[in-house]
Amino acid sequence: MHLPKPDHPWHALFAPLPPGATPRRELLVPAEIAASAEGAAVSGWEKITLDLSAGCDGLRAVMVTVDAAGQPVSASDHVMYRSEIGSGADVVTEFRHESVGGRLEPDGTFHGTRWSTVSTQTADGEDLSSHSTPSPPADDDAAAIRALAAELIRRAPSMDISRTLT
């Protein structure tokens, strides 16, 4: 289990977002695609994303997709941790990814997957191993992902509709 470092308390799955972090809001598909027959189903849908860097320790990416009415339809939280094992020429870099993502239903249910992936590389970038394990989301993941989605929506600035029409 990875615990957030004091300088990055947000660097953990479902951890509170850092104060002042502002997500990006943009159309899910470009306007010209949304105007086509193929894109009509997602016309007006937006994606709201927040990418956080923990420097050499890793990163966190949080995303929610909202439909044209502004209702969240999918969300994900992804955390990547990076650490070095060993020393000198024998150093190996371990990357651990934890994520939960999926579809948010109007009735409050969540249909998604929890993933845990661990991979290792040599100092020159050669892949040594990689193992991914999917599992059903934990019982409290639905509430956590909904709360995170609501926070992203709350923090994201409104879109300037004029820039989407050019």
Side-chain angles (χ1 to χ4, degrees), residues 52-144:
L52 301 166
S53 173
C56 290
D57 293 332
L59 57 84
R60 182 174 179 199
V62 186
M63 186 192 88
V64 62
T65 301
V66 296
D67 65 16
Q71 296 302 306
V73 294
S74 69
S76 65
D77 191 5
H78 177 99
V79 180
M80 189 270 291
Y81 304 96
R82 180 190 172 280
S83 58
E84 292 184 351
I85 302 166
S87 62
D90 296 326
V91 73
V92 172
T93 304
E94 178 184 82
F95 298 93
R96 178 174 298 279
H97 300 258
E98 297 176 13
S99 66
V100 173
R103 195 172 69 240
L104 300 167
E105 300 293 350
D107 68 1
T109 57
F110 174 67
H111 298 282
T113 305
R114 177 181 277 270
W115 284 93
S116 177
T117 301
V118 178
S119 60
T120 55
Q121 291 181 344
T122 62
D124 62 0
E126 179 185 341
D127 291 330
L128 295 175
S129 67
S130 183
H131 181 73
S132 294
T133 306
S135 62
D139 289 342
D140 57 348
D141 286 349

Side-chain angles (χ1 to χ4, degrees), residues 22-37:
T22 304
R24 291 182 321 277
R25 181 188 296 255
E26 56 192 315
L27 290 175
L28 184 64
V29 297
E32 60 273 9
I33 292 175
S36 71

